[in-house]
Amino acid sequence: MSAFLLAIAIAAGGARAWAAGEGAKAGASAVAAAVAVESEGAKTRFKITLSKAVTAQAFLMERPDRVIVDLPEVSFHLPAEAGRSKEGLIASYRYGLFAPGRSRVVMDLAQPAVVSGMTVQPDASGAATLLTIELSRVEREEFRRAAAESASKSAEGAPEPPAVQQAKDARPVIMIDPGHGGIDPGAAASGHVVEKDLVLSFAQRLKKKLEAGGRYKVVMTRDEDVFVSLGARVKAARAAQADLFISVHADSISGGQDVRGLTVYTGSERASDADSARLADRENKADAAAGVESGDMPDDVSDILQELTLRETRSFSHGFATRLVGEFDAVARLNKNPHRQARFQVLRAHDVPSVLVELGYLSSQKDLDLLMSEEWRSKMVSAMAVAVDRFFATRFAKQGAAAVLP
């Protein structure tokens, strides 16, 4: 038998202390204090130590092969490297908040396998709870049948975020979309830095900057570390009747540290280059990373009126992207081709001008240093705010309001 244990550096007693203290309070979330994966022959056991008993539900998904474990809300106190190493039937796994009140573990399978057992019982100390999920190797056809049988369990998918109510307000509505979130961490860098945290922090700073002047109504697709599906992000923008949608990302690339710089993307059925097509394909798989089937996007163009609206919207999107690149040029290192196009799912709203901003590459230490710099982020936020002001200058002029331009 081979086994490895990943534990957290918390106060002595770990889960035992939580079970006796904070974790035992009525209504408190369970705390995941340690996780172990044990492999023996055709079986692999995933064991997670929790501060209290939980109800778990597991199901399978194919293409790619995954085991999904749904839990009530759990606070994961695990090391950043947890889940990155292959062990037995599990190629890798990730975990996090899936929706308010719900957490999820997604195991990527190295070989087809089914859940052959699941137990929740006290651990050896008796003070904490051990959730054990046993996986057994099966042939492809058996896995396919089992995945089809469990499909109904996953039909609910990620709940839609509450619709942003559009109050009577003459101000432009700007929706900021921090990429990834919750169980979907996005790209990772050295030092346990992950994309979802960086872009959320940046988006919150941008929101504060845009709201400071009182000229815009600013909303976000997420304002905490929670998963939001790609379709739900588009729906949220349309429900808010957004006048501008800005999706914020910070990708990683395998091309080494020489590839760096900021890039602004707009939506297009045909990618401007092969790199953009690959990036869009990778970003469009974010739902699968969280164990969600994307299904049809909510904004497919179906008639000539929508087609005309889409053309006008993409013209506005290109105009805003040009303004962004112009403002960024003075304060940031730009990619060699800073304005690109690709078929990003999150840019599919036919009636909301939309851009996706890649702040830089986490695979580049120089970019990462900038992304972690307070001074650089402040300059970037200011540049984006100026681009937004210039984008809406004509609208403000028509309303009789003086545009605030530097």
Side-chain angles (χ1 to χ4, degrees):
M1 174 184 293
S2 66
F4 65 92
L5 178 66
L6 300 171
I8 60 168
I10 58 175
R16 186 182 299 111
W18 273 96
E22 293 297 318
K25 291 181 179 180
S29 299
V31 175
V35 60
V37 178
E38 301 173 352
S39 176
E40 184 177 20
K43 295 185 181 295
T44 297
R45 297 177 186 87
F46 180 88
K47 299 181 176 181
I48 186 164
T49 302
L50 299 162
S51 60
K52 62 180 181 181
V54 299
T55 300
Q57 183 182 44
F59 56 92
L60 308 175
M61 297 185 78
E62 194 179 20
R63 297 191 302 271
D65 297 344
R66 290 155 287 168
V67 175
I68 315 297
V69 182
D70 278 342
L71 304 163
E73 187 166 329
V74 172
S75 178
F76 291 94
H77 288 227
L78 304 175
E81 64 270 18
R84 297 184 183 180
S85 301
K86 178 183 179 300
E87 182 69 16
L89 296 167
I90 301 176
S92 62
Y93 63 87
R94 52 199 167 276
Y95 48 85
L97 190 63
F98 181 62
R102 295 169 57 190
S103 291
R104 173 169 282 191
V105 177
V106 178
M107 305 177 204
D108 298 313
L109 296 176
Q111 302 176 70
V114 296
V115 177
S116 52
M118 186 160 57
T119 60
V120 179
Q121 59 189 20
D123 71 348
S125 71
T129 295
L130 186 66
L131 169 63
T132 301
I133 299 169
E134 181 184 79
L135 307 180
S136 295
R137 169 81 168 88
V138 296
E139 295 302 319
R140 168 60 56 186
E141 284 306 313
E142 183 176 348
F143 176 82
R144 182 169 289 127
R145 287 194 299 270
E149 289 173 2
S150 67
S152 59
K153 297 180 182 179
S154 61
E156 179 184 356
E160 295 290 336
V164 179
Q165 297 300 320
Q166 174 73 345
K168 292 182 179 179
D169 196 326
R171 297 176 299 171
V173 178
I174 300 171
M175 176 155 281
I176 304 173
D177 172 47
H180 307 281
I183 194 172
D184 173 22
S190 59
H192 310 319
V193 176
V194 290
E195 180 180 5
K196 66 175 183 178
D197 296 332
L198 272 177
V199 298
L200 177 59
S201 174
F202 186 91
Q204 289 169 333
R205 183 189 289 257
L206 177 60
K207 180 176 185 287
K208 184 177 180 180
K209 178 72 173 180
L210 291 172
E211 288 179 331
R215 309 178 73 202
Y216 306 107
K217 178 179 179 180
V218 186
V219 291
M220 295 174 63
T221 54
R222 68 178 182 97
D223 55 10
E224 59 180 329
D225 184 20
V226 65
F227 172 78
V228 182
S229 71
L230 299 174
R233 295 169 194 260
V234 176
K235 287 181 179 178
R238 299 200 64 212
Q241 300 179 42
D243 298 286
L244 184 62
F245 178 90
I246 305 173
S247 192
V248 184
H249 290 253
D251 198 36
S252 182
I253 196 168
S254 58
Q257 296 212 3
D258 291 338
V259 181
R260 56 180 300 238
L262 184 146
T263 312
V264 180
Y265 292 90
T266 48
S268 173
E269 298 307 304
R270 179 176 297 179
S272 56
D273 55 272
D275 288 340
S276 298
R278 283 192 290 268
L279 175 62
D281 183 61
R282 190 160 63 245
E283 293 291 353
N284 291 344
K285 292 177 180 176
D287 287 357
V292 174
E293 296 293 355
S294 295
D296 295 330
M297 289 302 292
D299 204 46
D300 289 332
V301 174
S302 58
D303 59 38
I304 187 63
L305 181 59
Q306 287 188 342
E307 175 65 29
L308 292 173
T309 302
L310 175 62
R311 291 179 187 178
E312 182 181 42
T313 297
R314 286 188 171 169
S315 176
F316 285 134
S317 299
H318 280 269
F320 180 60
T322 299
R323 287 177 172 84
L324 274 177
V325 170
E327 297 302 327
F328 287 152
D329 193 33
V331 298
R333 162 69 180 267
L334 300 181
N335 188 278
K336 61 182 180 181
N337 183 8
H339 180 194
R340 304 189 184 202
Q341 302 174 54
R343 194 177 187 274
F344 289 92
Q345 298 267 33
V346 79
L347 304 181
R348 294 285 290 168
H350 74 276
D351 52 358
V352 181
S354 306
V355 299
L356 186 150
V357 180
E358 287 283 355
L359 296 173
Y361 292 97
L362 298 189
S363 47
S364 163
Q365 188 59 49
K366 291 181 179 178
D367 276 4
L368 180 58
D369 289 344
L370 289 175
L371 286 163
M372 299 295 289
S373 164
E374 288 290 322
E375 180 182 2
W376 184 85
R377 284 187 287 182
S378 180
K379 288 181 179 179
M380 291 299 297
V381 164
S382 295
M384 292 182 78
V386 171
V388 170
D389 282 342
R390 292 187 181 279
F391 180 71
F392 288 108
T394 301
R395 175 168 168 173
F396 287 138
K398 288 181 179 179
Q399 293 174 342
V404 179
L405 298 175

mmCIF file of all heavy atoms in Angstrom, residues 230-252:
data_model
loop_
_atom_site.group_PDB
_atom_site.id
_atom_site.type_symbol
_atom_site.label_atom_id
_atom_site.label_comp_id
_atom_site.label_asym_id
_atom_site.label_seq_id
_atom_site.Cartn_x
_atom_site.Cartn_y
_atom_site.Cartn_z
ATOM 1 N N LEU A 230 -20.059 30.140 -16.330
ATOM 2 C CA LEU A 230 -19.891 31.099 -17.417
ATOM 3 C C LEU A 230 -21.237 31.630 -17.890
ATOM 4 O O LEU A 230 -21.402 32.830 -18.124
ATOM 5 C CB LEU A 230 -19.146 30.437 -18.576
ATOM 6 C CG LEU A 230 -17.732 29.934 -18.272
ATOM 7 C CD1 LEU A 230 -17.177 29.162 -19.474
ATOM 8 C CD2 LEU A 230 -16.807 31.081 -17.901
ATOM 9 N N GLY A 231 -22.212 30.739 -18.042
ATOM 10 C CA GLY A 231 -23.533 31.169 -18.468
ATOM 11 C C GLY A 231 -24.189 32.107 -17.484
ATOM 12 O O GLY A 231 -24.860 33.074 -17.872
ATOM 13 N N ALA A 232 -23.983 31.841 -16.189
ATOM 14 C CA ALA A 232 -24.572 32.696 -15.158
ATOM 15 C C ALA A 232 -23.960 34.088 -15.184
ATOM 16 O O ALA A 232 -24.637 35.085 -14.889
ATOM 17 C CB ALA A 232 -24.390 32.072 -13.779
ATOM 18 N N ARG A 233 -22.694 34.189 -15.550
ATOM 19 C CA ARG A 233 -22.043 35.503 -15.636
ATOM 20 C C ARG A 233 -22.673 36.334 -16.764
ATOM 21 O O ARG A 233 -22.929 37.527 -16.597
ATOM 22 C CB ARG A 233 -20.541 35.327 -15.863
ATOM 23 C CG ARG A 233 -19.808 34.664 -14.694
ATOM 24 C CD ARG A 233 -18.378 34.268 -15.057
ATOM 25 N NE ARG A 233 -17.801 33.378 -14.081
ATOM 26 C CZ ARG A 233 -16.963 33.737 -13.101
ATOM 27 N NH1 ARG A 233 -16.605 35.009 -12.994
ATOM 28 N NH2 ARG A 233 -16.493 32.860 -12.258
ATOM 29 N N VAL A 234 -22.905 35.686 -17.895
ATOM 30 C CA VAL A 234 -23.541 36.379 -19.022
ATOM 31 C C VAL A 234 -24.965 36.786 -18.656
ATOM 32 O O VAL A 234 -25.399 37.912 -18.924
ATOM 33 C CB VAL A 234 -23.537 35.487 -20.279
ATOM 34 C CG1 VAL A 234 -24.279 36.166 -21.422
ATOM 35 C CG2 VAL A 234 -22.108 35.169 -20.711
ATOM 36 N N LYS A 235 -25.702 35.866 -18.044
ATOM 37 C CA LYS A 235 -27.075 36.156 -17.641
ATOM 38 C C LYS A 235 -27.122 37.319 -16.652
ATOM 39 O O LYS A 235 -28.020 38.169 -16.710
ATOM 40 C CB LYS A 235 -27.721 34.923 -17.018
ATOM 41 C CG LYS A 235 -28.074 33.835 -18.020
ATOM 42 C CD LYS A 235 -28.736 32.662 -17.315
ATOM 43 C CE LYS A 235 -29.115 31.562 -18.294
ATOM 44 N NZ LYS A 235 -29.725 30.392 -17.607
ATOM 45 N N ALA A 236 -26.162 37.352 -15.729
ATOM 46 C CA ALA A 236 -26.130 38.423 -14.728
ATOM 47 C C ALA A 236 -25.934 39.777 -15.397
ATOM 48 O O ALA A 236 -26.563 40.772 -15.017
ATOM 49 C CB ALA A 236 -25.025 38.163 -13.708
ATOM 50 N N ALA A 237 -25.065 39.830 -16.391
ATOM 51 C CA ALA A 237 -24.819 41.089 -17.106
ATOM 52 C C ALA A 237 -26.081 41.567 -17.814
ATOM 53 O O ALA A 237 -26.425 42.754 -17.772
ATOM 54 C CB ALA A 237 -23.678 40.910 -18.108
ATOM 55 N N ARG A 238 -26.787 40.645 -18.441
ATOM 56 C CA ARG A 238 -27.992 41.025 -19.161
ATOM 57 C C ARG A 238 -29.124 41.386 -18.193
ATOM 58 O O ARG A 238 -29.904 42.300 -18.447
ATOM 59 C CB ARG A 238 -28.422 39.887 -20.082
ATOM 60 C CG ARG A 238 -27.360 39.539 -21.138
ATOM 61 C CD ARG A 238 -27.959 38.786 -22.300
ATOM 62 N NE ARG A 238 -28.918 39.624 -23.002
ATOM 63 C CZ ARG A 238 -29.995 39.160 -23.616
ATOM 64 N NH1 ARG A 238 -30.262 37.863 -23.582
ATOM 65 N NH2 ARG A 238 -30.806 39.974 -24.250
ATOM 66 N N ALA A 239 -29.228 40.641 -17.069
ATOM 67 C CA ALA A 239 -30.280 40.930 -16.088
ATOM 68 C C ALA A 239 -30.085 42.307 -15.474
ATOM 69 O O ALA A 239 -31.051 43.004 -15.153
ATOM 70 C CB ALA A 239 -30.285 39.862 -14.992
ATOM 71 N N ALA A 240 -28.831 42.720 -15.320
ATOM 72 C CA ALA A 240 -28.534 44.035 -14.762
ATOM 73 C C ALA A 240 -28.644 45.137 -15.802
ATOM 74 O O ALA A 240 -28.477 46.315 -15.479
ATOM 75 C CB ALA A 240 -27.119 44.043 -14.173
ATOM 76 N N GLN A 241 -28.920 44.745 -17.061
ATOM 77 C CA GLN A 241 -28.947 45.690 -18.170
ATOM 78 C C GLN A 241 -27.647 46.490 -18.215
ATOM 79 O O GLN A 241 -27.628 47.717 -18.330
ATOM 80 C CB GLN A 241 -30.158 46.624 -18.061
ATOM 81 C CG GLN A 241 -31.495 45.890 -18.090
ATOM 82 C CD GLN A 241 -32.680 46.815 -17.954
ATOM 83 O OE1 GLN A 241 -32.715 47.883 -18.562
ATOM 84 N NE2 GLN A 241 -33.665 46.421 -17.157
ATOM 85 N N ALA A 242 -26.554 45.734 -18.102
ATOM 86 C CA ALA A 242 -25.237 46.365 -18.046
ATOM 87 C C ALA A 242 -24.918 47.092 -19.345
ATOM 88 O O ALA A 242 -25.259 46.639 -20.441
ATOM 89 C CB ALA A 242 -24.166 45.319 -17.754
ATOM 90 N N ASP A 243 -24.275 48.229 -19.221
ATOM 91 C CA ASP A 243 -23.818 49.007 -20.370
ATOM 92 C C ASP A 243 -22.382 48.648 -20.746
ATOM 93 O O ASP A 243 -21.913 49.029 -21.827
ATOM 94 C CB ASP A 243 -23.898 50.496 -20.052
ATOM 95 C CG ASP A 243 -25.319 50.952 -19.782
ATOM 96 O OD1 ASP A 243 -26.096 51.054 -20.754
ATOM 97 O OD2 ASP A 243 -25.669 51.168 -18.607
ATOM 98 N N LEU A 244 -21.707 47.922 -19.846
ATOM 99 C CA LEU A 244 -20.329 47.518 -20.089
ATOM 100 C C LEU A 244 -20.005 46.346 -19.163
ATOM 101 O O LEU A 244 -20.366 46.350 -17.992
ATOM 102 C CB LEU A 244 -19.366 48.679 -19.824
ATOM 103 C CG LEU A 244 -17.888 48.448 -20.129
ATOM 104 C CD1 LEU A 244 -17.667 48.152 -21.612
ATOM 105 C CD2 LEU A 244 -17.062 49.675 -19.719
ATOM 106 N N PHE A 245 -19.333 45.335 -19.724
ATOM 107 C CA PHE A 245 -18.960 44.129 -18.982
ATOM 108 C C PHE A 245 -17.450 43.979 -19.082
ATOM 109 O O PHE A 245 -16.894 43.926 -20.183
ATOM 110 C CB PHE A 245 -19.674 42.926 -19.586
ATOM 111 C CG PHE A 245 -19.346 41.591 -18.951
ATOM 112 C CD1 PHE A 245 -20.093 41.114 -17.888
ATOM 113 C CD2 PHE A 245 -18.313 40.807 -19.454
ATOM 114 C CE1 PHE A 245 -19.805 39.872 -17.323
ATOM 115 C CE2 PHE A 245 -18.024 39.568 -18.898
ATOM 116 C CZ PHE A 245 -18.777 39.103 -17.831
ATOM 117 N N ILE A 246 -16.770 43.918 -17.935
ATOM 118 C CA ILE A 246 -15.311 43.793 -17.903
ATOM 119 C C ILE A 246 -14.955 42.537 -17.124
ATOM 120 O O ILE A 246 -15.152 42.468 -15.909
ATOM 121 C CB ILE A 246 -14.646 45.017 -17.244
ATOM 122 C CG1 ILE A 246 -15.077 46.306 -17.933
ATOM 123 C CG2 ILE A 246 -13.131 44.874 -17.267
ATOM 124 C CD1 ILE A 246 -14.594 47.574 -17.221
ATOM 125 N N SER A 247 -14.431 41.535 -17.814
ATOM 126 C CA SER A 247 -13.994 40.299 -17.168
ATOM 127 C C SER A 247 -12.495 40.383 -16.922
ATOM 128 O O SER A 247 -11.726 40.729 -17.823
ATOM 129 C CB SER A 247 -14.325 39.094 -18.063
ATOM 130 O OG SER A 247 -14.162 37.883 -17.370
ATOM 131 N N VAL A 248 -12.081 40.081 -15.692
ATOM 132 C CA VAL A 248 -10.680 40.262 -15.290
ATOM 133 C C VAL A 248 -10.039 38.900 -15.032
ATOM 134 O O VAL A 248 -10.563 38.088 -14.262
ATOM 135 C CB VAL A 248 -10.580 41.135 -14.026
ATOM 136 C CG1 VAL A 248 -9.115 41.402 -13.682
ATOM 137 C CG2 VAL A 248 -11.327 42.451 -14.223
ATOM 138 N N HIS A 249 -8.881 38.667 -15.676
ATOM 139 C CA HIS A 249 -8.176 37.389 -15.550
ATOM 140 C C HIS A 249 -6.673 37.632 -15.433
ATOM 141 O O HIS A 249 -6.183 38.734 -15.679
ATOM 142 C CB HIS A 249 -8.451 36.506 -16.772
ATOM 143 C CG HIS A 249 -9.852 35.990 -16.838
ATOM 144 N ND1 HIS A 249 -10.180 34.689 -16.581
ATOM 145 C CD2 HIS A 249 -11.023 36.616 -17.130
ATOM 146 C CE1 HIS A 249 -11.490 34.528 -16.699
ATOM 147 N NE2 HIS A 249 -12.028 35.685 -17.047
ATOM 148 N N ALA A 250 -5.949 36.573 -15.070
ATOM 149 C CA ALA A 250 -4.485 36.583 -15.046
ATOM 150 C C ALA A 250 -4.036 35.159 -15.314
ATOM 151 O O ALA A 250 -3.973 34.332 -14.409
ATOM 152 C CB ALA A 250 -3.963 37.084 -13.695
ATOM 153 N N ASP A 251 -3.747 34.868 -16.554
ATOM 154 C CA ASP A 251 -3.535 33.493 -16.994
ATOM 155 C C ASP A 251 -2.106 33.027 -16.730
ATOM 156 O O ASP A 251 -1.256 33.767 -16.232
ATOM 157 C CB ASP A 251 -3.869 33.390 -18.487
ATOM 158 C CG ASP A 251 -4.091 31.965 -18.937
ATOM 159 O OD1 ASP A 251 -4.651 31.186 -18.151
ATOM 160 O OD2 ASP A 251 -3.698 31.623 -20.061
ATOM 161 N N SER A 252 -1.862 31.784 -17.078
ATOM 162 C CA SER A 252 -0.524 31.201 -17.020
ATOM 163 C C SER A 252 -0.286 30.501 -18.343
ATOM 164 O O SER A 252 -1.233 30.032 -18.985
ATOM 165 C CB SER A 252 -0.434 30.198 -15.867
ATOM 166 O OG SER A 252 0.863 29.660 -15.773
#
